[in-house]
Amino acid sequence: MVFTKKFYFQRSNFRNFFYEEYLDFFLQGAGISFYFAFFINFLETRKKHPFLHRLYVFGIGFLVIILTLYTYLHYGTQNYFAEQLLENYVSKVVLLLMLVIFLIYALKKWDQPLFRILFWGNLLFLIFSLISLAIVIRPEIPRLPGLLGNSLVLYEIGLLMELTFFLVALTYKNRIQLIDKVMESERLKLENERKELEKQMAVMAAQQKERERISADMHDELGSGMTTIRLMSEIAKNKLKDNPFSARSAQSHF
């Protein structure tokens, strides 16, 4: 929009009239709506920031209504005053209020680096938006020459700065997410190694338990065998004592 504004600056043709009268505001409103939608996804407002989620959903609905009403007024009526009122006052004032609300919310979340980055971008946007609105309300106030004295261009410059900080915040978030993914991958790797070690320890414990069982069984069988041999030996001794003839026969045999 900034480059288009430069291209059509001080030119008189049909495309310029269409751009200046309708298309620039429509593109601006549609762009901000998509920006709000991306912001909702970026900050995960639905589950992390319910208040911001309601705020930006309201902003999208508000812009859709404004653009629809603006289109009707532009093509269906000759009420240019109402068009100017929607474009330069109603829409900008509501968006500025939303911006102030976000800044207050960001201050409450100042301990989070992501909100600190977004705060400075939105603050610059607010400053340029107020200058733009002041030029619209009071055209006689001193301003810079050329495009820098145009209210819409100043508004778009503020928006561009805000988007620049937003891209910085996006880069920061992507880096944090990448670090979190690496840490999560390492955690899962360590968890798998721990489970594998526990499995091996469980196998070794089972093997050791089996060895102990076999050893106990062998000990019991050996003890039982020794007891049997001892009993049989005692029985044989008793029999020999009870039958001395057999004992002498056995001795003479040897």
Coordinates of all heavy atoms in Angstrom, one line a residue, residues 61-115:
G61 N -14.6 -9.4 13.6 CA -16.0 -9.2 13.3 C -16.3 -7.7 13.1 O -17.1 -7.4 12.2
F62 N -15.7 -6.9 13.9 CA -15.9 -5.4 13.7 C -15.5 -4.9 12.3 O -16.2 -4.2 11.7 CB -15.2 -4.7 14.8 CG -15.1 -3.2 14.6 CD1 -16.2 -2.4 14.8 CD2 -13.9 -2.6 14.1 CE1 -16.1 -1.0 14.6 CE2 -13.8 -1.2 13.9 CZ -14.9 -0.4 14.2
L63 N -14.3 -5.4 11.9 CA -13.8 -5.0 10.6 C -14.7 -5.5 9.4 O -14.9 -4.8 8.4 CB -12.4 -5.4 10.4 CG -11.3 -4.6 11.3 CD1 -10.0 -5.3 11.2 CD2 -11.2 -3.2 10.8
V64 N -15.1 -6.7 9.6 CA -16.0 -7.3 8.6 C -17.3 -6.4 8.4 O -17.7 -6.1 7.3 CB -16.4 -8.8 8.9 CG1 -17.5 -9.3 8.0 CG2 -15.1 -9.6 8.7
I65 N -17.9 -6.1 9.6 CA -19.1 -5.2 9.5 C -18.8 -3.8 8.9 O -19.5 -3.3 8.1 CB -19.6 -5.1 11.0 CG1 -20.1 -6.4 11.5 CG2 -20.8 -4.0 11.0 CD1 -20.6 -6.4 12.9
I66 N -17.6 -3.2 9.3 CA -17.3 -1.9 8.8 C -17.0 -2.0 7.3 O -17.5 -1.1 6.6 CB -16.0 -1.4 9.5 CG1 -16.3 -1.0 11.0 CG2 -15.4 -0.2 8.8 CD1 -17.2 0.2 11.1
L67 N -16.3 -3.0 6.8 CA -16.0 -3.1 5.4 C -17.3 -3.3 4.6 O -17.5 -2.8 3.5 CB -15.0 -4.2 5.1 CG -13.6 -3.9 5.6 CD1 -12.7 -5.1 5.4 CD2 -13.0 -2.6 5.0
T68 N -18.2 -4.1 5.2 CA -19.5 -4.4 4.5 C -20.3 -3.1 4.4 O -20.9 -2.8 3.3 CB -20.3 -5.5 5.2 OG1 -19.5 -6.7 5.3 CG2 -21.6 -5.8 4.5
L69 N -20.4 -2.4 5.5 CA -21.2 -1.2 5.5 C -20.5 -0.1 4.7 O -21.2 0.6 4.0 CB -21.3 -0.7 7.0 CG -22.1 0.6 7.2 CD1 -23.6 0.3 6.8 CD2 -22.1 0.9 8.7
Y70 N -19.2 -0.1 4.7 CA -18.5 0.9 3.8 C -18.7 0.6 2.3 O -18.9 1.6 1.5 CB -17.0 0.8 4.1 CG -16.1 1.9 3.4 CD1 -16.1 3.2 3.9 CD2 -15.4 1.5 2.3 CE1 -15.3 4.1 3.2 CE2 -14.6 2.5 1.6 CZ -14.6 3.8 2.1 OH -13.8 4.7 1.5
T71 N -18.7 -0.6 2.0 CA -19.0 -1.0 0.6 C -20.4 -0.6 0.2 O -20.6 0.0 -0.9 CB -18.8 -2.5 0.4 OG1 -17.4 -2.9 0.7 CG2 -19.0 -2.9 -1.1
Y72 N -21.3 -0.8 1.1 CA -22.7 -0.4 0.8 C -22.8 1.1 0.6 O -23.5 1.6 -0.4 CB -23.6 -0.9 1.9 CG -25.0 -0.3 1.8 CD1 -25.9 -0.7 0.8 CD2 -25.4 0.7 2.7 CE1 -27.2 -0.1 0.8 CE2 -26.6 1.3 2.6 CZ -27.5 0.9 1.7 OH -28.8 1.5 1.6
L73 N -22.2 1.8 1.5 CA -22.3 3.3 1.4 C -21.6 3.8 0.2 O -22.1 4.8 -0.5 CB -21.6 3.9 2.7 CG -22.4 3.7 4.0 CD1 -21.5 4.2 5.1 CD2 -23.7 4.5 4.0
H74 N -20.5 3.2 -0.2 CA -19.7 3.7 -1.4 C -20.5 3.4 -2.7 O -20.5 4.3 -3.6 CB -18.4 3.0 -1.4 CG -17.5 3.5 -2.5 ND1 -16.8 4.7 -2.4 CD2 -17.1 3.0 -3.7 CE1 -16.1 4.9 -3.5 NE2 -16.3 3.9 -4.3
Y75 N -21.0 2.2 -2.8 CA -21.6 1.9 -4.1 C -23.2 2.0 -4.1 O -23.8 2.1 -5.2 CB -21.3 0.4 -4.5 CG -19.8 0.3 -4.9 CD1 -18.9 -0.3 -4.0 CD2 -19.4 0.7 -6.1 CE1 -17.6 -0.5 -4.4 CE2 -18.0 0.5 -6.5 CZ -17.2 0.0 -5.6 OH -15.8 -0.2 -5.9
G76 N -23.8 2.0 -2.9 CA -25.2 2.1 -2.9 C -25.8 3.4 -2.5 O -27.0 3.6 -2.6
T77 N -25.0 4.3 -2.0 CA -25.5 5.6 -1.6 C -24.5 6.7 -2.0 O -23.5 6.5 -2.6 CB -25.7 5.7 -0.1 OG1 -24.4 5.8 0.5 CG2 -26.5 4.5 0.5
Q78 N -24.9 8.0 -1.8 CA -24.1 9.1 -2.0 C -23.7 9.8 -0.7 O -23.3 11.0 -0.7 CB -24.8 10.1 -2.9 CG -25.2 9.6 -4.3 CD -24.0 9.3 -5.1 OE1 -23.0 10.0 -5.1 NE2 -24.1 8.3 -6.0
N79 N -23.7 9.0 0.4 CA -23.5 9.6 1.7 C -21.9 9.5 2.0 O -21.4 8.6 2.7 CB -24.2 8.8 2.8 CG -24.2 9.5 4.1 OD1 -23.5 10.4 4.4 ND2 -25.1 9.0 5.0
Y80 N -21.2 10.4 1.4 CA -19.8 10.5 1.6 C -19.4 10.8 3.0 O -18.3 10.4 3.5 CB -19.2 11.5 0.6 CG -19.4 11.1 -0.9 CD1 -20.3 11.9 -1.6 CD2 -18.9 10.0 -1.4 CE1 -20.5 11.6 -3.0 CE2 -19.1 9.6 -2.7 CZ -20.0 10.5 -3.5 OH -20.2 10.1 -4.8
F81 N -20.2 11.6 3.7 CA -19.9 11.9 5.1 C -19.8 10.7 5.9 O -18.9 10.5 6.8 CB -20.9 12.9 5.6 CG -20.8 13.2 7.1 CD1 -19.8 14.1 7.5 CD2 -21.6 12.6 8.0 CE1 -19.6 14.3 8.9 CE2 -21.4 12.8 9.4 CZ -20.4 13.7 9.8
A82 N -20.8 9.8 5.7 CA -20.8 8.5 6.5 C -19.6 7.7 6.1 O -19.0 7.0 7.0 CB -22.1 7.7 6.2
E83 N -19.2 7.7 4.9 CA -18.0 6.9 4.5 C -16.8 7.5 5.2 O -16.0 6.7 5.7 CB -17.8 7.1 3.0 CG -18.7 6.2 2.1 CD -18.2 6.3 0.6 OE1 -17.1 5.9 0.3 OE2 -19.1 6.7 -0.2
Q84 N -16.6 8.8 5.2 CA -15.5 9.4 5.9 C -15.5 9.1 7.4 O -14.5 8.9 8.0 CB -15.5 10.9 5.6 CG -15.2 11.3 4.2 CD -13.7 10.9 3.8 OE1 -12.8 11.1 4.6 NE2 -13.6 10.3 2.6
L85 N -16.7 9.1 7.9 CA -16.9 8.8 9.4 C -16.4 7.4 9.7 O -15.7 7.2 10.7 CB -18.3 9.0 9.8 CG -18.6 9.0 11.3 CD1 -18.0 10.1 12.0 CD2 -20.2 9.0 11.5
L86 N -16.8 6.4 8.9 CA -16.4 5.1 9.1 C -14.9 4.9 8.9 O -14.2 4.2 9.7 CB -17.2 4.1 8.1 CG -18.6 3.8 8.4 CD1 -19.2 2.9 7.4 CD2 -18.8 3.2 9.8
E87 N -14.4 5.5 7.8 CA -13.0 5.3 7.5 C -12.0 6.0 8.4 O -11.0 5.4 8.9 CB -12.7 5.7 6.1 CG -11.3 5.5 5.6 CD -11.1 6.0 4.2 OE1 -12.0 6.4 3.5 OE2 -9.9 5.9 3.7
N88 N -12.3 7.2 8.8 CA -11.3 8.0 9.5 C -11.6 8.1 11.0 O -10.6 8.6 11.7 CB -11.2 9.4 8.9 CG -10.7 9.4 7.4 OD1 -9.8 8.7 7.2 ND2 -11.3 10.1 6.5
Y89 N -12.7 7.8 11.4 CA -13.0 8.0 12.8 C -13.4 6.7 13.5 O -12.7 6.2 14.4 CB -14.2 9.0 13.0 CG -13.8 10.4 12.5 CD1 -14.0 10.9 11.2 CD2 -13.1 11.3 13.4 CE1 -13.6 12.1 10.8 CE2 -12.7 12.6 13.0 CZ -13.0 13.0 11.7 OH -12.6 14.2 11.3
V90 N -14.5 6.1 13.1 CA -15.0 4.9 13.8 C -14.0 3.8 13.8 O -13.6 3.2 14.8 CB -16.4 4.4 13.1 CG1 -16.8 3.1 13.8 CG2 -17.4 5.5 13.3
S91 N -13.5 3.4 12.6 CA -12.6 2.3 12.5 C -11.3 2.6 13.2 O -10.8 1.7 14.0 CB -12.3 2.0 11.0 OG -11.7 3.1 10.4
K92 N -10.7 3.7 13.0 CA -9.4 4.0 13.6 C -9.5 4.2 15.1 O -8.6 3.7 15.9 CB -8.8 5.3 13.0 CG -8.4 5.1 11.6 CD -7.7 6.3 11.1 CE -7.1 6.1 9.6 NZ -6.4 7.3 9.1
V93 N -10.6 4.8 15.6 CA -10.8 4.9 17.1 C -10.9 3.6 17.8 O -10.2 3.3 18.8 CB -12.0 5.8 17.4 CG1 -12.3 5.7 18.9 CG2 -11.7 7.3 17.0
V94 N -11.7 2.7 17.2 CA -11.9 1.3 17.8 C -10.6 0.5 17.7 O -10.2 -0.1 18.7 CB -13.0 0.6 17.0 CG1 -13.1 -0.9 17.5 CG2 -14.4 1.3 17.3
L95 N -9.9 0.6 16.6 CA -8.6 -0.1 16.5 C -7.6 0.5 17.5 O -6.8 -0.3 18.0 CB -8.1 0.0 15.1 CG -8.9 -0.8 14.0 CD1 -8.4 -0.6 12.6 CD2 -8.9 -2.3 14.3
L96 N -7.6 1.8 17.6 CA -6.7 2.4 18.6 C -7.0 1.9 20.0 O -6.1 1.7 20.8 CB -6.7 3.9 18.5 CG -6.0 4.5 17.3 CD1 -6.2 6.0 17.2 CD2 -4.5 4.2 17.3
L97 N -8.3 1.8 20.3 CA -8.7 1.3 21.7 C -8.2 -0.1 21.9 O -7.7 -0.5 22.9 CB -10.2 1.5 21.8 CG -10.7 2.9 22.0 CD1 -12.3 2.8 22.1 CD2 -10.2 3.5 23.3
M98 N -8.3 -0.9 20.8 CA -7.9 -2.3 20.9 C -6.4 -2.3 21.1 O -5.8 -3.2 21.9 CB -8.2 -3.1 19.6 CG -9.7 -3.3 19.5 SD -10.1 -4.3 18.0 CE -9.1 -5.8 18.3
L99 N -5.7 -1.4 20.5 CA -4.2 -1.3 20.6 C -3.8 -0.9 22.0 O -2.9 -1.5 22.6 CB -3.7 -0.3 19.6 CG -2.2 -0.2 19.4 CD1 -1.6 -1.6 19.0 CD2 -1.9 0.8 18.3
V100 N -4.5 0.0 22.6 CA -4.2 0.4 24.0 C -4.5 -0.7 24.9 O -3.7 -1.0 25.9 CB -5.0 1.6 24.4 CG1 -4.9 1.9 25.9 CG2 -4.6 2.9 23.5
I101 N -5.6 -1.5 24.7 CA -5.9 -2.6 25.6 C -4.8 -3.7 25.5 O -4.4 -4.2 26.5 CB -7.3 -3.2 25.1 CG1 -8.4 -2.2 25.5 CG2 -7.5 -4.5 25.8 CD1 -9.7 -2.7 24.9
F102 N -4.3 -3.9 24.3 CA -3.2 -4.9 24.1 C -1.9 -4.4 24.9 O -1.2 -5.2 25.5 CB -2.9 -5.1 22.7 CG -1.7 -6.0 22.5 CD1 -1.8 -7.4 22.6 CD2 -0.4 -5.5 22.2 CE1 -0.7 -8.2 22.4 CE2 0.7 -6.3 22.1 CZ 0.5 -7.7 22.2
L103 N -1.6 -3.1 24.8 CA -0.4 -2.6 25.5 C -0.5 -2.8 27.0 O 0.4 -3.2 27.6 CB -0.2 -1.1 25.1 CG 0.2 -0.8 23.7 CD1 0.2 0.7 23.4 CD2 1.6 -1.4 23.4
I104 N -1.7 -2.5 27.5 CA -1.9 -2.7 28.9 C -1.8 -4.2 29.3 O -1.1 -4.6 30.3 CB -3.3 -2.2 29.4 CG1 -3.4 -0.7 29.2 CG2 -3.6 -2.6 30.8 CD1 -4.8 -0.1 29.4
Y105 N -2.3 -5.1 28.5 CA -2.2 -6.5 28.7 C -0.7 -7.0 28.6 O -0.3 -7.8 29.4 CB -3.0 -7.3 27.6 CG -3.2 -8.8 27.9 CD1 -4.2 -9.3 28.7 CD2 -2.3 -9.7 27.3 CE1 -4.3 -10.6 28.9 CE2 -2.3 -11.0 27.6 CZ -3.4 -11.5 28.4 OH -3.4 -12.8 28.6
A106 N 0.0 -6.4 27.6 CA 1.4 -6.8 27.4 C 2.2 -6.3 28.6 O 3.2 -7.0 29.0 CB 2.0 -6.2 26.1
L107 N 1.9 -5.2 29.2 CA 2.6 -4.7 30.4 C 2.4 -5.7 31.6 O 3.3 -5.9 32.4 CB 2.1 -3.3 30.8 CG 2.6 -2.2 30.0 CD1 1.9 -0.9 30.4 CD2 4.1 -2.0 30.1
K108 N 1.2 -6.3 31.6 CA 1.0 -7.3 32.7 C 1.8 -8.6 32.5 O 2.0 -9.3 33.4 CB -0.5 -7.6 32.8 CG -1.4 -6.4 33.2 CD -2.8 -6.8 33.3 CE -3.7 -5.6 33.8 NZ -5.1 -6.0 33.9
K109 N 2.1 -8.8 31.2 CA 2.9 -10.0 30.8 C 4.4 -9.7 30.6 O 5.0 -10.3 29.8 CB 2.3 -10.7 29.6 CG 0.8 -11.1 29.7 CD 0.7 -12.3 30.7 CE -0.8 -12.7 30.7 NZ -0.9 -13.9 31.6
W110 N 4.9 -8.6 31.2 CA 6.2 -8.1 30.9 C 7.3 -9.1 31.1 O 8.4 -9.0 30.6 CB 6.4 -6.8 31.7 CG 7.6 -6.0 31.2 CD1 8.8 -5.9 31.8 CD2 7.7 -5.2 30.0 NE1 9.6 -5.1 31.1 CE2 9.0 -4.6 30.0 CE3 6.8 -4.9 29.0 CZ2 9.4 -3.8 28.9 CZ3 7.2 -4.1 28.0 CH2 8.4 -3.6 27.9
D111 N 7.1 -10.0 32.0 CA 8.1 -11.0 32.3 C 8.3 -12.0 31.1 O 9.3 -12.7 31.1 CB 7.7 -11.8 33.6 CG 6.4 -12.5 33.4 OD1 5.4 -11.9 32.8 OD2 6.2 -13.7 33.9
Q112 N 7.4 -12.0 30.2 CA 7.6 -12.8 29.0 C 8.2 -12.1 27.8 O 7.7 -11.1 27.4 CB 6.2 -13.4 28.6 CG 5.5 -14.2 29.6 CD 4.1 -14.7 29.2 OE1 3.9 -14.9 28.0 NE2 3.2 -15.0 30.1
P113 N 9.4 -12.5 27.4 CA 10.1 -11.8 26.3 C 9.2 -11.5 25.0 O 9.4 -10.5 24.4 CB 11.3 -12.7 26.0 CG 11.5 -13.5 27.2 CD 10.1 -13.7 27.8
L114 N 8.4 -12.5 24.7 CA 7.6 -12.4 23.5 C 6.6 -11.2 23.6 O 6.5 -10.4 22.6 CB 6.7 -13.6 23.4 CG 6.0 -13.8 22.0 CD1 6.9 -13.9 20.9 CD2 5.1 -15.0 22.1
F115 N 6.0 -10.9 24.8 CA 5.1 -9.8 24.9 C 5.9 -8.5 25.0 O 5.4 -7.4 24.6 CB 4.3 -10.0 26.2 CG 3.1 -10.8 25.9 CD1 3.1 -12.1 26.2 CD2 1.9 -10.2 25.4 CE1 1.9 -12.9 26.0 CE2 0.8 -11.0 25.2 CZ 0.8 -12.3 25.5

